[in-house]
Amino acid sequence: MILMAGPCVIESEASLFRIAEALQPYHEDARFDFYFKASFDKANRTSLESYRGPGMEEGLRLLQKVKEHFGYKIVTDVHESYQVAPTAEVADIIQIPAFLCRQTDLLVAAAKTDRIVNIKKGQFMNPADMRYSVLKVLKTRGCDEVGYENAKKHKVLLTERGSSFGYGNLVVDMRSPVIMREFAPVVFDATHSVQMPGSGGGKTGGDSSMVPYLSKAAAAVGVDGFFFETHFDPSCALSDGPNMVTLEGLKQLTETLLAIEACSR
C-alpha cells in the first residue's frame, strides 16, 4: 500500500521533525510504501494573510534534512515550472496540485525529470478526462498509449480528492477511483476530500470526522494507496487543520484499511 503522510505545510523545523519522527513506524513496516509529505509553499491559499510556508529554498533544505535523517522518500508539490528541477533534486514524488492538473507546462516539466509524478484530480474535473493529464506525462516520456500498466511503468500516479458540490462543499464519487484506475494507479486523498472550501471566513474549513468513512469506502472500492495530512495537534496547524487526522488516529485507521484491502482481494 502506498502511504503518503505528513503535515500540510512546513511550519517549523521542530514541528516538521516531531511529525516525521512519529511516522517512522510506517517507514519500517514492509506493508507500506511510505512517503513523507510536506509542502514548502501553499500558493493557493484563500486569503493573502494565510500562512504559505517557508518558501522553496528553505523548504527543500528542511525536506532534504528529513530525508537524510530518517531515510524517508519525499513527496511535495510544485506550482510553477521553474520549481520542478530543484524540487526533483530532493523529492521522490513531484505532486501536481488539483487546481493545476491541466497545466501543460507544469506537467511536461515534471515529466522531464526521472521522478514519480502524482497528479491530483481537479475538484472540477470529470474523472474520465484525467486520462489526458496522464497522457501529457506519458508522451513526454516517450509513451503514446494511456493505461494502468504504462502509467505504472513510466511512474505516473493519479490522486482522487473529491469534487465540488455546490459552494463550500466537496463530495467523493466512489466511481471516480475505478474510472481513473483505467489510466494510472490511484491514491485516495482522504483529508483533502473532506475540505469545505471557503467556509472558514477567508480560509478553508473541513470535517475530519468523515475521513475514516471515506477512507474505508475507498479501500473497499480498490485503490493503490492513501494520502493523509496529519499533525500532533490539528487544532493548531497553520494549514488544513480542520480536515487533518491526528498521528494517533492515523495508526488505527491504517490498520483498518489494510484489513479491508486484504478482504477485498
Side-chain angles (χ1 to χ4, degrees):
M1 179 186 289
I2 297 168
L3 179 62
M4 305 181 195
C8 176
V9 65
I10 299 170
E11 299 175 351
S12 68
E13 182 170 342
S15 67
L16 187 72
F17 269 73
R18 181 176 174 183
I19 296 168
E21 186 172 13
L23 294 173
Q24 198 159 10
Y26 301 103
H27 173 65
E28 297 170 350
D29 190 332
R31 298 174 298 172
F32 298 106
D33 182 15
F34 176 70
Y35 296 82
F36 181 75
K37 184 269 168 185
S39 297
F40 55 75
D41 181 19
K42 305 300 292 185
N44 60 354
R45 299 304 302 274
T46 304
S47 168
L48 188 62
E49 286 71 36
S50 296
Y51 177 74
R52 288 181 54 168
M56 184 177 68
E57 185 176 347
E58 175 65 5
L60 290 177
R61 183 188 73 81
L62 291 173
L63 290 173
Q64 180 66 34
K65 196 170 180 179
V66 167
K67 188 172 192 174
E68 292 172 355
H69 185 83
F70 295 100
Y72 294 166
K73 292 180 288 187
I74 300 292
V75 52
T76 195
D77 40 351
V78 293
H79 293 86
E80 299 187 57
S81 299
Y82 78 87
Q83 296 175 334
V84 172
T87 299
E89 295 179 10
V90 176
D92 300 271
I93 297 180
I94 296 174
Q95 186 163 277
I96 308 298
F99 285 123
L100 300 175
C101 67
R102 293 171 41 144
Q103 202 76 2
T104 301
D105 290 346
L106 189 59
L107 289 165
V108 170
K112 287 180 177 178
T113 72
D114 62 352
R115 300 308 191 182
I116 299 168
V117 179
N118 181 33
I119 312 168
K120 302 190 85 170
K121 189 205 81 187
Q123 303 90 322
F124 48 86
M125 288 290 291
N126 174 356
D129 284 343
M130 289 304 295
R131 74 176 71 210
Y132 303 110
S133 294
V134 172
L135 197 52
K136 289 177 183 180
V137 178
L138 290 180
K139 283 190 172 183
T140 304
R141 290 181 167 177
C143 177
D144 292 327
E145 187 175 346
V146 72
Y148 182 96
E149 291 301 328
N150 281 340
K152 188 174 182 179
K153 177 181 177 181
H154 292 281
K155 301 191 290 188
V156 187
L157 301 173
L158 287 173
T159 292
E160 168 62 39
R161 50 94 72 241
S163 299
S164 297
F165 190 72
Y167 298 121
N169 195 25
L170 300 176
V171 296
V172 179
D173 180 352
M174 285 300 168
R175 295 174 296 180
S176 181
V178 178
I179 293 167
M180 293 198 300
R181 281 189 96 233
E182 296 178 20
F183 323 130
V186 172
V187 173
F188 180 62
D189 180 348
T191 47
H192 283 103
S193 291
V194 300
Q195 278 185 336
M196 295 179 179
S199 66
K203 58 184 179 181
T204 293
D207 182 3
S208 61
S209 71
M210 291 291 113
V211 169
Y213 299 103
L214 293 179
S215 301
K216 288 184 280 189
V221 165
V223 293
D224 299 89
F226 290 87
F227 177 109
F228 295 101
E229 289 187 333
T230 185
H231 201 280
F232 50 85
D233 184 0
S235 69
C236 69
L238 298 182
S239 177
D240 275 352
N243 46 270
M244 282 184 172
V245 294
T246 64
L247 291 162
E248 295 79 9
L250 182 62
K251 183 178 187 299
Q252 181 178 349
L253 180 55
T254 51
E255 290 296 330
T256 300
L257 297 177
L258 286 167
I260 294 172
E261 186 185 61
C263 289
S264 298
R265 283 201 301 268

